[in-house]
C-alpha cells in the first residue's frame, strides 16, 4: 500500500509476481481512517473505478469474459412480468421416529396449509433435501422415501417445487434446535476422529455445519472426496426424481456452504461465539486449508505468509474501528500480505463453487436442453450487509467475499455462475438501510445494487428471498418494489422465508394474500 503525494490511494497487490494497481481519489490529506465511516461503494461502481487483481488461485475462473461472450443464450427481459412465489417448508417439518427413520410431522396440517397457499396464488414450495436425512447411516445408502411422500403431496396440491440440495447441518441454528438436521451420521463419525474435516477458527474451534472446502479433493470419506460425495448425491437424486424434473421440480439450488450459501462460517449463529454486528473471523485453520495456504505462499516466494491467517483481524464480535487489519497501515488488508491472503481466501471459495456447480450443470444439462422440460439451476450467496459503508467491508471479507470500496468482490462470483448457466439466489429483499442502527454502517440497498449490477453484466437470472420474517404491509410491499426494481430486471422468482403458524393468522394472511397476488400478476 502506498500513498501518492497528490492524495490518491494506490494499492499494489502481488499475485504470482504480477501486479494490479487500483486508484481512488480522496481528500487532499490521504487518511483512510477518516473515511472508514463514510465511504459508500455504489458511486465507485457507477463510475467504473473498481477493478480486480489476478487471483492467487490462477486466472482459470476469474478471467471468463471470452467464454461468457460465447454463450448463445441471452436472458430475455423479465421487467413487468410476474414473479412466482415459492414458500419454504417449515423448519420443523421433519422428525426422526423411534426406529430412526425420518418422517413428515403433522402431515394433515401440512396438507391443509398447502391447499391454502395454492388458493392464495402461491406458485410452489421450497424444500430442503438434506444430505443428513437421505444418506444418513452409511455411504451411498440413499433413502428417498421421505421426499417421495412429500413431493407427491406437493404435486397433488398442484404446486411446483424449488428443491434445495442441502449439504449442511442446521443443528447450531437457534431457530432450528427442535427439528434440526445434522450431517450424515457416518460423516460425524469420521469427524469424531478427524476434527479437521470441518472449518476451524484461529482459536481451534470447529464448526460442524459444513465440511471445510479443504477436503473437496481429499479422499477421506470411505474412499471418496467431498466433491465426489456431493456428486453421487446429486446423481442419485436426479435418477430417483427424473419424472418430476422440469414438470413439478422447476428450480434446483445446490448447497455450497453453511445455510446452503457460498461463504465461510465466519458468523456462527447460535453457539454463542458471534452476535450481530460483529465482523466475524477468518475460517482457514483446519490443516487442509493451512497446507494449501502454505503452498500458495511458497509459490508467491513468501513462505512466511503461509504460517497463519491475519493475526491483527480482531475477533467475532469486534467492530472495525481499532482493528488494524481492517484499517490502514503496513499490515492492513491493503498491504501486499493483505491482498495475498484475501485473494487466496476468496479464491479457494470461488474454486469450491466452480467445482460443485460444474458437476451439477453436467448432471442437469440434458434436462435444460430438452425443450419439453424447464429446470433452473441456482446458487445462493449470503447477504452480508453490515459494515458495507466502510472501506474494508470486514464482515464480507471474513465470509470470503473479497469486496471492498476499492474492489468488486461479487463480479467473480457472478462470472462462475454465468459460466455454468446458474441463477443467483440473493436475500435481503425486504430490508432498507434505515432498518438498522446508523452506527453499524449497514447498506442492504447498496449491496443489492451491486448484486443487480453484477448479474446484469454477467447475464444471469436473479432469485430473491427475504432474510427476516415479515408479514406487515410495509415489509411485503418493500419486497415487491425490490423484485420489480425500476433500474433492474425483475427477479425470476421469489422464495418467502418461511412457512409457519404465524403466516396463517388472520391479520398476517390478510396482508400476505394480496402480496402474493400482486407479485404473481403481470404489471
Amino acid at each position: 500500500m502506498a500513498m501518492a503525494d497528490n492524495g490518491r490511494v494506490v494499492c499494489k497487490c502481488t499475485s504470482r509476481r504480477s501486479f494490479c494497481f487500483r486508484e481512488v481519489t480522496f481528500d487532499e490529506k490521504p487518511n483512510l481512517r477518516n473515511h472508514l465511516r463514510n465511504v459508500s461503494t455504489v458511486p465507485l461502481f457507477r463510475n467504473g473505478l473498481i477493478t480486480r487483481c489476478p487471483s492467487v488461485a490462477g486466472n482459470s475462473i476469474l478471467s471468463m469474459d471470452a467464454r461468457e461472450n460465447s454463450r448463445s443464450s441471452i436472458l430475455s427481459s423479465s421487467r413487468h412480468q410476474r414473479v412466482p412465489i415459492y414458500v419454504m417448508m417449515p423448519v420443523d417439518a421433519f422428525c426422526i421416529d423411534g426406529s430412526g427413520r425420518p418422517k413428515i410431522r403433522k402431515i394433515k396440517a401440512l396438507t391443509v396449509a398447502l391447499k391454502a397457499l395454492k388458493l392464495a396464488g402461491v406458485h410452489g414450495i421450497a424444500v430442503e433435501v438434506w444430505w443428513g436425512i437421505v444418506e444418513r447411516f452409511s455411504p451411498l445408502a440413499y433413502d428417498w422415501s421421505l421426499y417421495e411422500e412429500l413431493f407427491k403431496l406437493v404435486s397433488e396440491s398442484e404446486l411446483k417445487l424449488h428443491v434445495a440440495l442441502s449439504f449442511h447441518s442446521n443443528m447450531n441454528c437457534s431457530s432450528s434446535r427442535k427439528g434440526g438436521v445434522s450431517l450424515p451420521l457416518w460423516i460425524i463419525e469420521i469427524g469424531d476422529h478427524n476434527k479437521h474435516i470441518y472449518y476451524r477458527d484461529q482459536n481451534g474451534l470447529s464448526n460442524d455445519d459444513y465440511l471445510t472446502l479443504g477436503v473437496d479433493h481429499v479422499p477421506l470419506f470411505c474412499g471418496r472426496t467431498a466433491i465426489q460425495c456431493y456428486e453421487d448425491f446429486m446423481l442419485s437424486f436426479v435418477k430417483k426424481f427424473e419424472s418430476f424434473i422440469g414438470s413439478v421440480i422447476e428450480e434446483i439450488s445446490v448447497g455450497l456452504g453453511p445455510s446452503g450459501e457460498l461463504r465461510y462460517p465466519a458468523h456462527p449463529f447460535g453457539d454463542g461465539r458471534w452476535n450481530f454486528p460483529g465482523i466475524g473471523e477468518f475460517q482457514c485453520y483446519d490443516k487442509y486449508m493451512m497446507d494449501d495456504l502454505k503452498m500458495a505462499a511458497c509459490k508467491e516466494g513468501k513462505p512466511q505468509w503461509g504460517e497463519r491467517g491475519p493475526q491483527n483481524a480482531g475477533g467475532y464480535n469486534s467492530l472495525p474501528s481499532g482493528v488494524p487489519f481492517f484499517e490502514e497501515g503496513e499490515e492492513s488488508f491493503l498491504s501486499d500480505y493483505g491482498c495475498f491472503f484475501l485473494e487466496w481466501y476468496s479464491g479457494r471459495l470461488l474454486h469450491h463453487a466452480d467445482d460443485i456447480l460444474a458437476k451439477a450443470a453436467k448432471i442437469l444439462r440434458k434436462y435444460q436442453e430438452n425443450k419439453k422440460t424447464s429446470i433452473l439451476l441456482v446458487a445462493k450467496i449470503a447477504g452480508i450487509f453490515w459494515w458495507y459503508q466502510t472501506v474494508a467491508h470486514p464482515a464480507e471479507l471474513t465470509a470470503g467475499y473479497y469486496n471492498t470500496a476499492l474492489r468488486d468482490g461479487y463480479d467473480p462470483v457472478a462470472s462462475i455462475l454465468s459460466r455454468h448457466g446458474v441463477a443467483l439466489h440473493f436475500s435481503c429483499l425486504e430490508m432498507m438501510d434505515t432498518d438498522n442502527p446508523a452506527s453499524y454502517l449497514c447498506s442492504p440497498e447498496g449491496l443489492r445494487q451491486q448484486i443487480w449490477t453484477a448479474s446484469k453484466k454477467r447475464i444471469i437470472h436473479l432469485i430473491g428471498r427475504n432474510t427476516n420474517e415479515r408479514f406487515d404491509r410495509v415489509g411485503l410491499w418493500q419486497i415487491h418494489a425490490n423484485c420489480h426494481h425500476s433500474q433492474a430486471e425483475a427477479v425470476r422468482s421469489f422464495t418467502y422465508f418461511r412457512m409457519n403458524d404465524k403466516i396463517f393468522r388472520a391479520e398476517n394472511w390478510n396482508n400476505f394474500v394480496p402480496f402474493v397476488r400482486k407479485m404473481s400478476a403481470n404489471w
Side-chain angles (χ1 to χ4, degrees):
M1 169 71 186
M3 284 289 184
D5 292 336
N6 59 6
R8 294 175 299 172
V9 177
V10 181
C11 175
K12 179 180 72 175
C13 289
T14 60
S15 178
R16 291 188 177 178
R17 299 295 182 183
S18 60
F19 296 85
C20 172
F21 291 88
R22 300 186 297 272
E23 182 178 294
V24 177
T25 302
F26 289 112
D27 297 333
E28 292 183 2
K29 295 182 179 180
N31 187 336
L32 284 179
R33 184 175 285 113
N34 293 336
H35 296 274
L36 279 175
R37 300 180 59 82
N38 300 312
V39 175
S40 171
T41 67
V42 176
L44 295 176
F45 289 102
R46 188 177 298 123
N47 294 331
L49 294 175
I50 293 186
T51 61
R52 64 178 184 271
C53 297
S55 171
V56 169
N59 295 328
S60 61
I61 292 178
L62 300 187
S63 300
M64 295 182 183
D65 298 276
R67 275 173 287 185
E68 287 165 0
N69 290 336
S70 67
R71 292 178 63 206
S72 59
S73 60
I74 303 297
L75 304 185
S76 60
S77 175
S78 56
R79 194 176 298 161
H80 307 307
Q81 293 184 3
R82 71 188 191 95
V83 177
I85 301 289
Y86 291 85
V87 176
M88 187 170 283
M89 282 282 286
V91 71
D92 59 350
F94 312 128
C95 66
I96 306 297
D97 65 20
S99 66
R101 294 178 62 84
K103 70 174 186 178
I104 302 172
R105 297 179 70 249
K106 303 178 181 178
I107 192 165
K108 290 183 179 179
L110 179 61
T111 302
V112 172
L114 293 177
K115 290 180 179 178
L117 291 172
K118 175 63 179 178
L119 289 172
V122 167
H123 180 75
I125 303 299
V127 176
E128 291 148 317
V129 176
W130 296 99
W131 186 25
I133 286 180
V134 177
E135 198 178 354
R136 183 174 180 79
F137 296 106
S138 57
L140 297 171
Y142 304 108
D143 180 1
W144 296 104
S145 59
L146 181 146
Y147 292 103
E148 287 181 289
E149 183 180 8
L150 179 60
F151 290 3
K152 182 182 178 183
L153 186 63
V154 172
S155 177
E156 289 175 347
S157 300
E158 299 182 350
L159 291 162
K160 302 299 182 180
L161 279 165
H162 172 120
V163 172
L165 302 181
S166 301
F167 299 113
H168 63 284
S169 161
N170 68 351
M171 294 294 290
N172 290 324
C173 179
S174 62
S175 63
S176 322
R177 285 172 184 166
K178 291 182 175 179
V181 179
S182 69
L183 293 180
L185 299 181
W186 61 276
I187 291 285
I188 293 174
E189 186 176 346
I190 294 171
D192 289 341
H193 296 90
N194 180 6
K195 293 290 187 184
H196 289 275
I197 68 171
Y198 306 123
Y199 287 115
R200 181 173 286 205
D201 65 20
Q202 61 186 338
N203 295 313
L205 296 175
S206 297
N207 187 307
D208 58 3
D209 286 348
Y210 187 80
L211 297 177
T212 170
L213 60 79
V215 299
D216 278 358
H217 299 286
V218 185
L220 297 174
F221 308 101
C222 301
R224 293 186 295 166
T225 67
I227 295 291
Q228 288 171 333
C229 290
Y230 307 146
E231 181 182 17
D232 289 339
F233 185 91
M234 291 187 286
L235 284 166
S236 179
F237 170 82
V238 167
K239 182 179 180 181
K240 187 67 180 179
F241 297 107
E242 186 168 21
S243 62
F244 283 80
I245 294 176
S247 54
V248 178
I249 300 173
E250 292 187 344
E251 298 180 357
I252 298 177
S253 63
V254 180
L256 300 172
S259 299
E261 298 169 337
L262 178 64
R263 63 176 173 87
Y264 293 100
H267 311 94
F269 182 78
D271 66 2
R273 277 185 285 173
W274 173 82
N275 291 293
F276 179 80
I279 60 176
E281 289 189 14
F282 293 110
Q283 306 286 314
C284 59
Y285 290 91
D286 63 85
K287 68 180 181 181
Y288 303 103
M289 288 198 71
M290 287 305 299
D291 286 347
D292 193 272
L293 177 60
K294 289 173 185 175
M295 290 175 58
C298 288
K299 238 180 232 187
E300 191 70 18
K302 299 281 188 179
Q304 68 274 19
W305 287 355
E307 294 176 2
R308 61 182 68 86
Q311 297 298 289
N312 59 348
Y316 286 109
N317 295 306
S318 296
L319 306 183
S321 179
V323 178
F325 189 76
F326 299 115
E327 295 189 318
E328 62 177 291
E330 295 181 358
E331 298 181 354
S332 75
F333 75 103
L334 294 167
S335 66
D336 283 353
Y337 166 73
C339 289
F340 161 79
F341 176 80
L342 293 172
E343 286 281 1
W344 170 80
Y345 189 68
S346 63
R348 295 314 304 155
L349 198 64
L350 293 171
H351 271 290
H352 176 68
D354 190 49
D355 288 342
I356 296 177
L357 294 177
K359 301 291 187 185
K362 182 178 179 181
I363 291 168
L364 292 175
R365 186 168 297 136
K366 73 173 184 178
Y367 304 100
Q368 293 175 317
E369 293 174 349
N370 186 346
K371 294 182 180 179
K372 296 181 180 180
T373 61
S374 174
I375 188 71
L376 185 67
L377 184 58
V378 181
K380 289 171 64 180
I381 67 169
I384 311 293
F385 57 84
W386 55 104
W387 308 117
Y388 186 88
Q389 297 183 68
T390 66
V391 173
H393 293 222
E396 291 165 90
L397 296 184
T398 57
Y401 303 123
Y402 191 1
N403 189 58
T404 71
L406 312 177
R407 187 185 191 279
D408 186 350
Y410 295 103
D411 182 65
V413 177
S415 294
I416 292 173
L417 271 57
S418 179
R419 180 185 180 187
H420 299 297
V422 179
L424 189 157
H425 195 169
F426 180 65
S427 59
C428 302
L429 264 67
E430 84 287 7
M431 302 180 76
M432 301 291 290
D433 287 0
T434 53
D435 290 345
N436 295 280
S439 59
Y440 298 168
L441 297 171
C442 301
S443 186
E445 297 174 51
L447 181 57
R448 279 198 303 266
Q449 183 62 55
Q450 188 176 352
I451 297 299
W452 282 329
T453 300
S455 66
K456 184 175 182 179
K457 175 183 177 182
R458 298 298 175 179
I459 318 175
I460 58 176
H461 283 301
L462 275 179
I463 305 295
R465 201 199 84 177
N466 54 307
T467 297
N468 300 312
E469 186 179 83
R470 296 291 294 268
F471 299 113
D472 61 291
R473 286 177 58 86
V474 172
L476 293 173
W477 256 243
Q478 186 60 52
I479 292 172
H480 178 272
N482 286 325
C483 285
H484 294 92
H485 194 275
S486 61
Q487 296 179 353
E489 298 298 318
V491 299
R492 169 73 177 258
S493 67
F494 180 83
T495 300
Y496 184 84
F497 184 79
R498 67 174 72 223
M499 189 196 311
N500 56 37
D501 293 341
K502 286 185 282 186
I503 198 173
F504 298 106
R505 293 175 185 170
E507 64 273 21
N508 296 330
W509 189 248
N510 289 339
N511 291 332
F512 184 73
V513 173
F515 160 73
V516 170
R517 291 179 177 170
K518 188 171 179 64
M519 289 279 282
S520 302
N522 291 325
W523 69 287

PDB file of all heavy atoms in Angstrom, residues 125-145:
ATOM      1  N   ILE A 125     -43.487 -24.645  -3.564  1.00  0.00           N
ATOM      2  CA  ILE A 125     -42.920 -24.847  -2.240  1.00  0.00           C
ATOM      3  C   ILE A 125     -41.411 -25.078  -2.381  1.00  0.00           C
ATOM      4  O   ILE A 125     -40.967 -25.807  -3.266  1.00  0.00           O
ATOM      5  CB  ILE A 125     -43.563 -26.068  -1.541  1.00  0.00           C
ATOM      6  CG1 ILE A 125     -45.075 -25.890  -1.447  1.00  0.00           C
ATOM      7  CG2 ILE A 125     -42.962 -26.270  -0.153  1.00  0.00           C
ATOM      8  CD1 ILE A 125     -45.517 -24.683  -0.636  1.00  0.00           C
ATOM      9  N   ALA A 126     -40.649 -24.431  -1.515  1.00  0.00           N
ATOM     10  CA  ALA A 126     -39.199 -24.645  -1.469  1.00  0.00           C
ATOM     11  C   ALA A 126     -38.919 -25.685  -0.389  1.00  0.00           C
ATOM     12  O   ALA A 126     -39.338 -25.537   0.759  1.00  0.00           O
ATOM     13  CB  ALA A 126     -38.470 -23.341  -1.163  1.00  0.00           C
ATOM     14  N   VAL A 127     -38.209 -26.723  -0.764  1.00  0.00           N
ATOM     15  CA  VAL A 127     -37.957 -27.852   0.127  1.00  0.00           C
ATOM     16  C   VAL A 127     -36.461 -28.106   0.232  1.00  0.00           C
ATOM     17  O   VAL A 127     -35.773 -28.235  -0.787  1.00  0.00           O
ATOM     18  CB  VAL A 127     -38.652 -29.139  -0.385  1.00  0.00           C
ATOM     19  CG1 VAL A 127     -38.304 -30.325   0.503  1.00  0.00           C
ATOM     20  CG2 VAL A 127     -40.151 -28.938  -0.448  1.00  0.00           C
ATOM     21  N   GLU A 128     -35.953 -28.157   1.456  1.00  0.00           N
ATOM     22  CA  GLU A 128     -34.558 -28.529   1.682  1.00  0.00           C
ATOM     23  C   GLU A 128     -34.443 -30.044   1.690  1.00  0.00           C
ATOM     24  O   GLU A 128     -35.091 -30.729   2.482  1.00  0.00           O
ATOM     25  CB  GLU A 128     -34.082 -27.953   3.020  1.00  0.00           C
ATOM     26  CG  GLU A 128     -33.952 -26.438   2.996  1.00  0.00           C
ATOM     27  CD  GLU A 128     -34.257 -25.780   4.327  1.00  0.00           C
ATOM     28  OE1 GLU A 128     -35.249 -26.193   4.967  1.00  0.00           O
ATOM     29  OE2 GLU A 128     -33.536 -24.846   4.710  1.00  0.00           O
ATOM     30  N   VAL A 129     -33.651 -30.566   0.785  1.00  0.00           N
ATOM     31  CA  VAL A 129     -33.397 -32.005   0.705  1.00  0.00           C
ATOM     32  C   VAL A 129     -32.070 -32.260   1.396  1.00  0.00           C
ATOM     33  O   VAL A 129     -31.001 -31.962   0.864  1.00  0.00           O
ATOM     34  CB  VAL A 129     -33.373 -32.481  -0.758  1.00  0.00           C
ATOM     35  CG1 VAL A 129     -32.999 -33.958  -0.837  1.00  0.00           C
ATOM     36  CG2 VAL A 129     -34.739 -32.249  -1.404  1.00  0.00           C
ATOM     37  N   TRP A 130     -32.148 -32.806   2.606  1.00  0.00           N
ATOM     38  CA  TRP A 130     -30.985 -32.868   3.490  1.00  0.00           C
ATOM     39  C   TRP A 130     -30.120 -34.095   3.235  1.00  0.00           C
ATOM     40  O   TRP A 130     -30.603 -35.228   3.244  1.00  0.00           O
ATOM     41  CB  TRP A 130     -31.437 -32.865   4.948  1.00  0.00           C
ATOM     42  CG  TRP A 130     -32.145 -31.619   5.371  1.00  0.00           C
ATOM     43  CD1 TRP A 130     -33.495 -31.421   5.464  1.00  0.00           C
ATOM     44  CD2 TRP A 130     -31.529 -30.381   5.763  1.00  0.00           C
ATOM     45  NE1 TRP A 130     -33.761 -30.141   5.886  1.00  0.00           N
ATOM     46  CE2 TRP A 130     -32.581 -29.471   6.079  1.00  0.00           C
ATOM     47  CE3 TRP A 130     -30.203 -29.953   5.883  1.00  0.00           C
ATOM     48  CZ2 TRP A 130     -32.338 -28.169   6.501  1.00  0.00           C
ATOM     49  CZ3 TRP A 130     -29.966 -28.656   6.296  1.00  0.00           C
ATOM     50  CH2 TRP A 130     -31.023 -27.777   6.598  1.00  0.00           C
ATOM     51  N   TRP A 131     -28.832 -33.837   3.037  1.00  0.00           N
ATOM     52  CA  TRP A 131     -27.837 -34.907   2.959  1.00  0.00           C
ATOM     53  C   TRP A 131     -27.906 -35.761   4.225  1.00  0.00           C
ATOM     54  O   TRP A 131     -27.823 -36.984   4.163  1.00  0.00           O
ATOM     55  CB  TRP A 131     -26.456 -34.270   2.795  1.00  0.00           C
ATOM     56  CG  TRP A 131     -25.323 -35.222   2.562  1.00  0.00           C
ATOM     57  CD1 TRP A 131     -25.382 -36.479   2.026  1.00  0.00           C
ATOM     58  CD2 TRP A 131     -23.937 -34.969   2.829  1.00  0.00           C
ATOM     59  NE1 TRP A 131     -24.130 -37.034   1.943  1.00  0.00           N
ATOM     60  CE2 TRP A 131     -23.227 -36.121   2.428  1.00  0.00           C
ATOM     61  CE3 TRP A 131     -23.236 -33.885   3.355  1.00  0.00           C
ATOM     62  CZ2 TRP A 131     -21.838 -36.229   2.554  1.00  0.00           C
ATOM     63  CZ3 TRP A 131     -21.864 -33.974   3.469  1.00  0.00           C
ATOM     64  CH2 TRP A 131     -21.166 -35.138   3.085  1.00  0.00           C
ATOM     65  N   GLY A 132     -28.086 -35.110   5.359  1.00  0.00           N
ATOM     66  CA  GLY A 132     -28.103 -35.808   6.642  1.00  0.00           C
ATOM     67  C   GLY A 132     -29.326 -36.664   6.874  1.00  0.00           C
ATOM     68  O   GLY A 132     -29.368 -37.431   7.841  1.00  0.00           O
ATOM     69  N   ILE A 133     -30.337 -36.550   6.019  1.00  0.00           N
ATOM     70  CA  ILE A 133     -31.511 -37.423   6.089  1.00  0.00           C
ATOM     71  C   ILE A 133     -31.396 -38.560   5.072  1.00  0.00           C
ATOM     72  O   ILE A 133     -31.609 -39.729   5.399  1.00  0.00           O
ATOM     73  CB  ILE A 133     -32.811 -36.618   5.853  1.00  0.00           C
ATOM     74  CG1 ILE A 133     -33.143 -35.779   7.101  1.00  0.00           C
ATOM     75  CG2 ILE A 133     -33.977 -37.539   5.515  1.00  0.00           C
ATOM     76  CD1 ILE A 133     -34.409 -34.939   6.959  1.00  0.00           C
ATOM     77  N   VAL A 134     -31.042 -38.216   3.850  1.00  0.00           N
ATOM     78  CA  VAL A 134     -31.082 -39.192   2.755  1.00  0.00           C
ATOM     79  C   VAL A 134     -29.948 -40.211   2.838  1.00  0.00           C
ATOM     80  O   VAL A 134     -30.157 -41.411   2.619  1.00  0.00           O
ATOM     81  CB  VAL A 134     -31.052 -38.456   1.405  1.00  0.00           C
ATOM     82  CG1 VAL A 134     -31.012 -39.455   0.253  1.00  0.00           C
ATOM     83  CG2 VAL A 134     -32.269 -37.545   1.269  1.00  0.00           C
ATOM     84  N   GLU A 135     -28.745 -39.750   3.131  1.00  0.00           N
ATOM     85  CA  GLU A 135     -27.578 -40.640   3.214  1.00  0.00           C
ATOM     86  C   GLU A 135     -27.130 -40.726   4.676  1.00  0.00           C
ATOM     87  O   GLU A 135     -25.941 -40.652   4.978  1.00  0.00           O
ATOM     88  CB  GLU A 135     -26.449 -40.112   2.317  1.00  0.00           C
ATOM     89  CG  GLU A 135     -25.372 -41.126   1.980  1.00  0.00           C
ATOM     90  CD  GLU A 135     -24.295 -40.574   1.051  1.00  0.00           C
ATOM     91  OE1 GLU A 135     -24.433 -39.423   0.574  1.00  0.00           O
ATOM     92  OE2 GLU A 135     -23.309 -41.296   0.793  1.00  0.00           O
ATOM     93  N   ARG A 136     -28.085 -40.908   5.538  1.00  0.00           N
ATOM     94  CA  ARG A 136     -27.877 -40.718   6.968  1.00  0.00           C
ATOM     95  C   ARG A 136     -26.946 -41.741   7.617  1.00  0.00           C
ATOM     96  O   ARG A 136     -26.054 -41.390   8.385  1.00  0.00           O
ATOM     97  CB  ARG A 136     -29.238 -40.752   7.689  1.00  0.00           C
ATOM     98  CG  ARG A 136     -29.168 -40.487   9.182  1.00  0.00           C
ATOM     99  CD  ARG A 136     -30.559 -40.391   9.787  1.00  0.00           C
ATOM    100  NE  ARG A 136     -30.534 -40.135  11.220  1.00  0.00           N
ATOM    101  CZ  ARG A 136     -30.319 -38.954  11.772  1.00  0.00           C
ATOM    102  NH1 ARG A 136     -30.112 -37.907  11.003  1.00  0.00           N
ATOM    103  NH2 ARG A 136     -30.312 -38.807  13.085  1.00  0.00           N
ATOM    104  N   PHE A 137     -27.129 -43.021   7.309  1.00  0.00           N
ATOM    105  CA  PHE A 137     -26.488 -44.056   8.112  1.00  0.00           C
ATOM    106  C   PHE A 137     -25.172 -44.579   7.548  1.00  0.00           C
ATOM    107  O   PHE A 137     -24.261 -44.908   8.303  1.00  0.00           O
ATOM    108  CB  PHE A 137     -27.463 -45.221   8.325  1.00  0.00           C
ATOM    109  CG  PHE A 137     -28.677 -44.840   9.118  1.00  0.00           C
ATOM    110  CD1 PHE A 137     -29.909 -44.696   8.492  1.00  0.00           C
ATOM    111  CD2 PHE A 137     -28.588 -44.589  10.474  1.00  0.00           C
ATOM    112  CE1 PHE A 137     -31.035 -44.323   9.212  1.00  0.00           C
ATOM    113  CE2 PHE A 137     -29.701 -44.213  11.208  1.00  0.00           C
ATOM    114  CZ  PHE A 137     -30.925 -44.083  10.577  1.00  0.00           C
ATOM    115  N   SER A 138     -25.057 -44.681   6.250  1.00  0.00           N
ATOM    116  CA  SER A 138     -23.831 -45.220   5.656  1.00  0.00           C
ATOM    117  C   SER A 138     -23.654 -44.664   4.249  1.00  0.00           C
ATOM    118  O   SER A 138     -24.637 -44.278   3.599  1.00  0.00           O
ATOM    119  CB  SER A 138     -23.867 -46.755   5.628  1.00  0.00           C
ATOM    120  OG  SER A 138     -25.002 -47.212   4.929  1.00  0.00           O
ATOM    121  N   PRO A 139     -22.416 -44.625   3.751  1.00  0.00           N
ATOM    122  CA  PRO A 139     -22.151 -44.031   2.442  1.00  0.00           C
ATOM    123  C   PRO A 139     -22.838 -44.785   1.313  1.00  0.00           C
ATOM    124  O   PRO A 139     -22.901 -46.016   1.302  1.00  0.00           O
ATOM    125  CB  PRO A 139     -20.625 -44.100   2.328  1.00  0.00           C
ATOM    126  CG  PRO A 139     -20.193 -45.118   3.324  1.00  0.00           C
ATOM    127  CD  PRO A 139     -21.182 -45.074   4.418  1.00  0.00           C
ATOM    128  N   LEU A 140     -23.390 -44.002   0.387  1.00  0.00           N
ATOM    129  CA  LEU A 140     -24.047 -44.494  -0.823  1.00  0.00           C
ATOM    130  C   LEU A 140     -25.336 -45.250  -0.542  1.00  0.00           C
ATOM    131  O   LEU A 140     -25.930 -45.832  -1.459  1.00  0.00           O
ATOM    132  CB  LEU A 140     -23.086 -45.373  -1.643  1.00  0.00           C
ATOM    133  CG  LEU A 140     -21.837 -44.658  -2.171  1.00  0.00           C
ATOM    134  CD1 LEU A 140     -20.860 -45.663  -2.778  1.00  0.00           C
ATOM    135  CD2 LEU A 140     -22.212 -43.598  -3.201  1.00  0.00           C
ATOM    136  N   ALA A 141     -25.800 -45.248   0.701  1.00  0.00           N
ATOM    137  CA  ALA A 141     -27.082 -45.864   1.054  1.00  0.00           C
ATOM    138  C   ALA A 141     -28.125 -44.754   1.162  1.00  0.00           C
ATOM    139  O   ALA A 141     -28.299 -44.141   2.215  1.00  0.00           O
ATOM    140  CB  ALA A 141     -26.960 -46.629   2.366  1.00  0.00           C
ATOM    141  N   TYR A 142     -28.815 -44.481   0.045  1.00  0.00           N
ATOM    142  CA  TYR A 142     -29.742 -43.359  -0.036  1.00  0.00           C
ATOM    143  C   TYR A 142     -31.170 -43.806   0.258  1.00  0.00           C
ATOM    144  O   TYR A 142     -31.654 -44.791  -0.318  1.00  0.00           O
ATOM    145  CB  TYR A 142     -29.692 -42.724  -1.430  1.00  0.00           C
ATOM    146  CG  TYR A 142     -28.315 -42.270  -1.846  1.00  0.00           C
ATOM    147  CD1 TYR A 142     -27.607 -42.960  -2.833  1.00  0.00           C
ATOM    148  CD2 TYR A 142     -27.724 -41.163  -1.259  1.00  0.00           C
ATOM    149  CE1 TYR A 142     -26.336 -42.549  -3.218  1.00  0.00           C
ATOM    150  CE2 TYR A 142     -26.451 -40.742  -1.641  1.00  0.00           C
ATOM    151  CZ  TYR A 142     -25.769 -41.443  -2.617  1.00  0.00           C
ATOM    152  OH  TYR A 142     -24.520 -41.035  -2.998  1.00  0.00           O
ATOM    153  N   ASP A 143     -31.836 -43.094   1.127  1.00  0.00           N
ATOM    154  CA  ASP A 143     -33.231 -43.353   1.444  1.00  0.00           C
ATOM    155  C   ASP A 143     -34.052 -42.124   1.068  1.00  0.00           C
ATOM    156  O   ASP A 143     -34.043 -41.117   1.779  1.00  0.00           O
ATOM    157  CB  ASP A 143     -33.387 -43.677   2.935  1.00  0.00           C
ATOM    158  CG  ASP A 143     -34.833 -43.947   3.332  1.00  0.00           C
ATOM    159  OD1 ASP A 143     -35.718 -43.901   2.445  1.00  0.00           O
ATOM    160  OD2 ASP A 143     -35.097 -44.182   4.530  1.00  0.00           O
ATOM    161  N   TRP A 144     -34.756 -42.191  -0.053  1.00  0.00           N
ATOM    162  CA  TRP A 144     -35.519 -41.065  -0.572  1.00  0.00           C
ATOM    163  C   TRP A 144     -36.988 -41.118  -0.177  1.00  0.00           C
ATOM    164  O   TRP A 144     -37.807 -40.326  -0.676  1.00  0.00           O
ATOM    165  CB  TRP A 144     -35.408 -41.016  -2.102  1.00  0.00           C
ATOM    166  CG  TRP A 144     -34.022 -40.767  -2.598  1.00  0.00           C
ATOM    167  CD1 TRP A 144     -33.164 -41.671  -3.145  1.00  0.00           C
ATOM    168  CD2 TRP A 144     -33.323 -39.517  -2.597  1.00  0.00           C
ATOM    169  NE1 TRP A 144     -31.974 -41.077  -3.487  1.00  0.00           N
ATOM    170  CE2 TRP A 144     -32.051 -39.747  -3.166  1.00  0.00           C
ATOM    171  CE3 TRP A 144     -33.652 -38.222  -2.176  1.00  0.00           C
ATOM    172  CZ2 TRP A 144     -31.099 -38.745  -3.322  1.00  0.00           C
ATOM    173  CZ3 TRP A 144     -32.709 -37.217  -2.332  1.00  0.00           C
ATOM    174  CH2 TRP A 144     -31.460 -37.475  -2.893  1.00  0.00           C
ATOM    175  N   SER A 145     -37.363 -42.037   0.692  1.00  0.00           N
ATOM    176  CA  SER A 145     -38.778 -42.282   0.967  1.00  0.00           C
ATOM    177  C   SER A 145     -39.499 -41.047   1.494  1.00  0.00           C
ATOM    178  O   SER A 145     -40.646 -40.775   1.107  1.00  0.00           O
ATOM    179  CB  SER A 145     -38.930 -43.444   1.955  1.00  0.00           C
ATOM    180  OG  SER A 145     -38.248 -43.169   3.178  1.00  0.00           O
TER     181      SER A 145
END
